[in-house]
Amino acid sequence: MNTEATDAPLIDVENLSVVIDRDEGVVRPLNGVSFRIDAGQAVGIVGESGCGKTMTSNALLRILPPGAKITSGHIRYRRKLDEQVVDLATIDSSSAEMRQIRGGDISMIFQEPMTAFSPVHTIHNQIAEMIQLHDPMDDQAARRRVVELLDLVGIVGPDERADDYAFQLSGGMRQRAMIAMALASKPRLLIADEPTTALDVTVQARVLKLIQRLQRELGLALMLITHDLGVIAHTVEYVYVMYLGQVIEEGPVVEIFDNPAHPYTQALLHSIPSLTDKSKRLEPIEGSVPSAFALPTGCPFHTRCTKQVGDICKRQMPAHTQVGKGHFASCFIHTEEGS
Ligand SMILES: Nc1ncnc2c1ncn2[C@@H]1O[C@H](COP(=O)(O)OP(=O)(O)OP(=O)(O)O)[C@@H](O)[C@H]1O
Ligand SMILES: [Mg+2]
């Protein structure tokens, strides 16, 4: 534990690996993930389905599935209680310390808000309970805070809506209520895992704008997880691109869009509808993400890559190499061995 680290990043994940023991074999969803988020910074984590995005956030919160364990790495987190840096990779996942961080420091919003709410309690009761758990206050004060939070997330008539049940709200409103609940504990890091995927496009844009406004106004750090590069374009400052449980490219959002350095990122960008030129032909990435049961040797992307530099791609993992200001990629195109 480090007591002199108040200028440390809020969370610093280094070389994190997770394996899951299954009857069918060993699954390797995370294979040395490294990334960091500073206080108040908005970061995007992108990659196709199965790349390990959700597993990464579940590892941070120590809510891994049965049979899964962290086999290497650190998750250094600067906690709200006393600004001390603790390693969430080694802390007891059911300890009071971890529960405090899980509920109080780091909040999550999900794709499906119904899972966040109990069907048998009103929105008010659930948010008020969360508020009082982290900040003891009487029921009247908690009610005022619930209404304030519902107002903050843009729910019209918050005093009346507070007494609704989750199923009485529209999809977009439910998403807003879930965000209000996530904010109830005054977190410093908000993890949003595909927060808008289930919503239609116009609601999606509004909810993203809301998350962005809250992040800025409340000075929250944001980890926005999505398979959709379009979602992060205007929402985050810095992007980590994941492939098979590793970060294969990272950089400021403008660099990632204007100057992608890894063939995987380039392929991802070609596979999304152009934000400016709707007539551009889309090129889906060949093949699919290999199973985490049987990882390829060498560069994990080599089985689908159209830009291999040679046999080395099949044999060796390329180093994470600087390719621009604050911009890194793991590809032999950018290393000496590959030239
Ligand atoms: N409980 C589990 N048992 C075995 N394998 C699992 C389990 N949960 C996830 N995996 C595997 O771990 C890998 C990473 O999964 P994860 O859910 O983190 O992907 P993701 O990037 O969040 O994908 P998506 O975009 O579909 O949400 C995948 O190969 C997945 O099949
Ligand atoms: Mg996921």
Side-chain angles (χ1 to χ4, degrees):
M1 199 177 280
N2 184 349
T3 50
E4 298 169 38
T6 41
D7 55 354
L10 183 62
I11 195 154
D12 187 358
V13 176
E14 187 193 338
N15 197 29
L16 184 69
S17 297
V18 164
V19 302
I20 313 176
D21 264 324
R22 303 289 303 253
D23 293 342
E24 311 89 294
V26 176
V27 189
R28 301 185 188 281
L30 299 187
N31 300 291
V33 181
S34 297
F35 65 94
R36 52 180 273 177
I37 307 176
D38 290 327
Q41 189 187 26
V43 154
I45 308 267
V46 295
E48 287 166 289
S49 183
C51 282
K53 306 180 297 294
T54 298
M55 196 61 76
T56 301
S57 73
N58 289 351
L60 304 194
L61 292 168
R62 298 295 304 278
I63 47 172
L64 290 169
K69 59 175 186 288
I70 294 175
T71 51
S72 76
H74 300 281
I75 306 169
R76 297 188 186 89
Y77 174 70
R78 184 154 54 80
R79 68 181 175 194
K80 193 160 83 174
L81 179 70
D82 52 11
E83 299 294 339
Q84 280 200 348
V85 175
V86 287
D87 190 348
L88 305 184
T90 53
I91 209 168
D92 175 0
S93 66
S94 55
S95 63
E97 202 179 354
M98 190 63 223
R99 278 205 309 275
Q100 170 58 36
I101 290 168
R102 208 181 283 131
D105 280 49
I106 306 177
S107 277
M108 267 201 92
I109 55 179
F110 313 91
Q111 181 173 340
E112 186 32 78
M114 275 315 266
T115 55
F117 288 107
S118 147
V120 296
H121 299 285
T122 62
I123 299 285
H124 165 267
N125 287 353
Q126 295 179 68
I127 300 182
E129 189 185 352
M130 185 64 92
I131 292 170
Q132 288 171 314
L133 191 68
H134 292 281
D135 193 1
M137 62 178 78
D138 66 35
D139 290 351
Q140 263 182 338
R143 171 82 191 187
R144 277 198 300 275
R145 179 97 183 103
V146 171
V147 173
E148 228 173 72
L149 279 170
L150 293 179
D151 188 46
L152 179 71
V153 298
I155 290 186
V156 182
D159 208 8
E160 295 80 53
R161 291 284 79 76
D163 295 316
D164 281 351
Y165 293 85
F167 66 83
Q168 292 175 288
L169 302 177
S170 68
M173 285 299 131
R174 221 160 27 223
Q175 201 76 2
R176 287 172 191 268
M178 179 175 59
I179 295 171
M181 178 129 111
L183 297 176
S185 60
K186 298 191 181 152
R188 24 169 66 174
L189 172 62
L190 187 64
I191 302 179
D193 192 348
E194 304 281 5
T196 58
T197 308
L199 303 171
D200 71 51
V201 177
T202 47
V203 183
Q204 198 175 60
R206 276 190 238 127
V207 171
L208 275 180
K209 273 215 163 64
L210 169 67
I211 293 175
Q212 189 177 30
R213 175 171 68 77
L214 293 170
Q215 184 257 327
R216 290 185 180 159
E217 281 177 10
L218 305 175
L220 285 172
L222 172 68
M223 178 172 161
L224 180 60
I225 296 177
T226 179
H227 65 277
D228 182 351
L229 278 161
V231 162
I232 56 155
H234 304 290
T235 325
V236 305
E237 302 154 44
Y238 199 82
V239 179
Y240 292 92
V241 183
M242 282 189 74
Y243 193 75
L244 278 181
Q246 291 179 53
V247 169
I248 50 90
E249 179 162 4
E250 61 174 276
V253 67
V254 179
E255 275 282 296
I256 296 291
F257 277 88
D258 292 354
N259 212 2
H262 197 289
Y264 178 59
T265 315
Q266 293 164 1
L268 267 186
L269 281 164
H270 281 128
S271 71
I272 59 163
S274 166
L275 301 175
T276 45
D277 182 2
K278 303 276 180 239
S279 65
K280 238 163 94 186
R281 210 166 63 86
L282 301 185
E283 294 166 36
I285 309 178
E286 279 288 318
S288 53
V289 180
S291 157
F293 269 116
L295 299 175
T297 54
C299 166
F301 188 57
H302 88 258
T303 57
R304 303 167 75 195
C305 186
T306 54
K307 298 183 178 165
Q308 288 190 38
V309 299
D311 223 34
I312 193 167
C313 300
K314 299 189 182 80
R315 287 187 279 106
Q316 203 175 311
M317 178 63 204
H320 208 49
T321 309
Q322 183 150 16
V323 294
K325 192 158 180 259
H327 186 182
F328 299 80
S330 305
C331 176
F332 285 116
I333 291 173
H334 304 289
T335 68
E336 278 182 13
E337 298 105 306
S339 55

